[in-house]
Amino acid sequence: MNVDECEGLTCSVAVTVKLISGKWKPVILYYLLDGKLRFNELQSRLSGITHRALTLQLRELERDGLVSRTIYPVIPPKVEYQLTDMGHSMKAIILAMYDWGLDYQKMQAKNTPFSKEV
């Protein structure tokens, strides 16, 4: 890996961060790894998210091709969200974030510096 290759807007790291930036996007992607979820199911899993924030984050994920939305013609309306193939391709990234966060929490609980070997 050559760090010098990562410059400005063409940097692949910047592209990835742009796609999943936002307080809730990585967590939404994490929950959708297990399959389809309805809006209220997602909202109940995301403690503290507002209806508006979830709507905006889902719209952006859909716009960027990571999440798809299926609307069923029933009353009351039923809408399901799921990962697209592109969204599923981020599985390793999302799970790595989960694992790193878990390790970080454990280190913080022990009140020791983070020094995991790579």
Side-chain angles (χ1 to χ4, degrees), residues 56-72:
L56 292 173
Q57 296 283 274
L58 285 167
R59 283 183 187 163
E60 289 177 16
L61 288 166
E62 186 179 6
R63 178 199 67 209
D64 293 333
L66 300 176
V67 169
S68 67
R69 176 179 57 158
T70 304
I71 303 169
Y72 296 94

Side-chain angles (χ1 to χ4, degrees), residues 18-50:
K18 182 178 182 253
L19 288 172
I20 63 171
S21 67
K23 181 176 181 179
W24 302 103
K25 285 182 188 178
V27 184
I28 291 168
L29 294 171
Y30 173 77
Y31 284 126
L32 290 176
L33 286 174
D34 287 335
K36 298 176 184 177
L37 288 173
R38 293 180 70 176
F39 186 92
N40 288 336
E41 291 173 316
L42 272 170
Q43 189 170 23
S44 68
R45 292 179 188 204
L46 298 163
S47 178
I49 192 169
T50 64

Side-chain angles (χ1 to χ4, degrees), residues 1-7 10-13:
M1 177 174 76
N2 184 353
V3 177
D4 292 333
E5 293 176 5
C6 197
E7 296 179 17
T10 61
C11 177
S12 57
V13 173

